[in-house]
Amino acid sequence: MDEDNLKMLVKLTQGGQFSSLTKHMKTCGLMEVARDKHFGRSGDTLAHYAARHGHLDILEFLIKEVGTDVEVYNNDYKRLLHEAASMGHLACVRYLLQEGAQVDSLKKADWTPLMMACTRRNLDVIRELIEHSADPLLRNKDGWNAFHIACREGDPLVVHFLLEVAPDVWRSKSKTCRTPLHTAAMHGCEEVVGILLERCDYTPDEKDSCGVTPFMDAVRNGHISLARILLEKHQASATASDILGVQPVHQVAVTGQEEALRFLVRELHVDVNQRATGLQLTSLHYAAKEGHVSTLKTLLELGADLHVEDKKGRTALHMACIGQHAEAARTLLQLGLKDSQDASGTTARQLAKKSDIMKVFECS
């Protein structure tokens, strides 16, 4: 088959050029190819392209005239309904359902068209699927249902609608025990969090399999106003620990969220030198290991102890060198932290593997 003709088929379909496409097919005798051909690594058919781009006239032609199967799938097992739903093309979704498309067909990783629709803020498409008996309680391979996905995207109208049609949909947890509240908090969806706290009976400080709470998700991603909502309306704890004994004050140091640090220490009076259980690391250790120079300075402004050691006798300078962060090591030395031996007799300098870190010690 002429490669140029095949490329032209795809181009005309993606561009929605119906008359040119049908003419090209008939002139070049490509009707059978248009029905059966899977293109590229994805294995998409022309019907996939039409559904994805919302070209209803082409989609209808391919199914009715060319004979493309409404359940044809690509290499990810995506059906045409997945494509139309994921891009929010209501007319195509409606047509495919009328033609008998399976409403809860599964693509790779067990995603349904409804889940795909919930990645978009298109209530009309979601309502159409629900009215054709799509099941919002189905879960994908990670244990997420459509409600988890809607809470991640943060559209209050979609969240309200799903709670109306499936009042218990909020009770589902992912395979890592994360609730939709965790998801909404992590992504900073304040309106959705408000809805969840008002309409759903979540336990305060419910933990996922790593011991992370929704409050932790909020602050370590810098969503301070949302964290306040969890404190005020859900009695969240600002000092809860995950399974490693790490508290929010440590987590925000890891992610370099300096305003969240100020919020925890100045407003909530969390001890900036609080140690995580286990290795007894402080926020200063965590920030140094991640190489967050500005965060190190903020911690010191908030009263962090520059010379504090962990359970193994390591200072923040050791951690900066473990992380191979030259600028963090330089900053700590400039602030007055001297190199020292840990409990095993190892100095921070001995942990340096990169030449730029070694030069820091040579110049100090």
Side-chain angles (χ1 to χ4, degrees):
M1 178 59 61
D2 187 344
E3 191 67 26
D4 289 338
N5 277 329
L6 292 177
K7 289 181 179 179
M8 182 58 69
L9 281 178
V10 173
K11 182 178 179 180
L12 293 173
T13 302
Q14 290 176 326
Q17 300 180 55
F18 178 74
S19 58
S20 298
L21 175 67
T22 55
K23 180 179 178 181
H24 184 67
M25 280 186 193
K26 294 172 182 177
T27 301
C28 299
L30 299 174
M31 295 289 278
E32 187 173 340
V33 171
R35 182 188 67 212
D36 300 325
K37 176 67 176 176
H38 291 260
F39 297 87
R41 292 183 179 179
S42 65
D44 288 329
T45 64
L46 293 182
H48 281 88
Y49 295 126
R52 184 180 304 149
H53 291 277
H55 302 315
L56 178 59
D57 52 355
I58 295 178
L59 183 62
E60 186 172 2
F61 171 76
L62 290 169
I63 291 173
K64 287 290 189 182
E65 303 297 328
V66 177
T68 300
D69 186 349
V70 73
E71 291 298 331
V72 66
Y73 55 84
N74 67 10
N75 293 341
D76 286 333
Y77 298 100
K78 266 188 180 181
R79 272 69 171 181
L80 308 182
L81 189 57
H82 285 103
E83 295 286 3
S86 69
M87 300 306 292
H89 298 309
L90 178 60
C92 290
V93 167
R94 186 171 288 151
Y95 171 71
L96 290 167
L97 290 170
Q98 290 171 353
E99 290 299 309
Q102 296 179 31
V103 72
D104 283 329
S105 57
L106 302 180
K107 80 168 191 71
K108 193 173 182 179
D110 295 339
W111 280 64
T112 65
L114 179 61
M115 293 175 191
M116 302 293 287
C118 285
T119 65
R120 298 271 173 173
R121 297 188 173 201
N122 192 321
L123 182 56
D124 290 337
V125 170
I126 292 167
R127 182 182 285 111
E128 186 74 19
L129 292 166
I130 292 289
E131 288 176 354
H132 282 80
S133 302
D135 187 352
L137 298 179
L138 291 178
R139 305 202 304 168
N140 64 20
K141 75 173 185 64
D142 295 316
W144 282 36
N145 62 22
F147 192 66
H148 276 90
I149 297 162
C151 289
R152 181 190 68 187
E153 298 305 316
D155 189 330
L157 294 177
V158 173
V159 170
H160 272 301
F161 175 72
L162 291 175
L163 286 171
E164 288 295 327
V165 298
D168 288 332
V169 71
W170 64 272
R171 296 182 185 276
S172 179
K173 294 182 180 180
S174 72
K175 288 188 176 179
T176 55
C177 296
R178 291 181 63 76
T179 67
L181 183 59
H182 282 90
T183 301
M186 177 180 181
H187 291 275
C189 304
E190 288 188 33
E191 285 188 79
V192 169
V193 166
I195 295 168
L196 297 179
L197 296 183
E198 179 182 338
R199 299 187 57 177
C200 310
D201 191 24
Y202 287 112
T203 303
D205 291 321
E206 192 161 354
K207 296 185 177 184
D208 67 11
S209 59
C210 294
V212 173
T213 68
F215 179 84
M216 293 176 187
D217 272 326
V219 292
R220 69 182 179 179
N221 286 286
H223 307 309
I224 298 171
S225 58
L226 195 155
R228 287 195 179 98
I229 292 172
L230 291 167
L231 289 169
E232 295 168 5
K233 296 185 177 181
H234 210 222
Q235 295 76 53
S237 170
T239 55
S241 299
D242 67 14
I243 61 173
L244 298 177
V246 176
Q247 296 184 14
V249 71
H250 306 120
Q251 293 168 336
V252 297
V254 171
T255 56
Q257 296 291 344
E258 293 168 41
E259 286 305 310
L261 271 173
R262 295 186 180 96
F263 166 64
L264 290 169
V265 176
R266 289 178 177 167
E267 291 190 37
L268 303 185
H269 308 294
V270 174
D271 181 4
V272 72
N273 291 307
Q274 178 67 42
R275 294 173 179 269
T277 57
L279 292 176
Q280 299 289 295
L281 297 168
T282 67
S283 295
L284 199 69
H285 286 96
Y286 285 109
K289 188 176 181 180
E290 297 300 321
H292 298 317
V293 174
S294 180
T295 306
L296 290 172
K297 295 177 180 178
T298 297
L299 283 164
L300 292 173
E301 291 173 8
L302 294 171
D305 183 353
L306 181 64
H307 303 283
V308 68
E309 297 178 354
D310 70 1
K311 191 175 181 178
K312 294 184 177 181
R314 299 175 300 186
T315 66
L317 187 58
H318 286 87
M319 304 308 287
C321 291
I322 288 173
Q324 305 302 308
H325 299 299
E327 192 57 36
R330 180 181 293 107
T331 298
L332 290 166
L333 288 167
Q334 290 173 345
L335 290 169
L337 184 57
K338 303 295 184 183
D339 194 5
S340 61
Q341 293 183 340
D342 64 15
S344 67
T346 303
T347 65
R349 182 172 185 167
Q350 289 172 322
L351 295 170
K353 296 179 181 179
K354 293 182 178 180
S355 58
D356 56 346
I357 303 180
M358 295 176 185
K359 289 178 182 178
V360 169
F361 287 96
E362 292 171 1
C363 298
S364 63

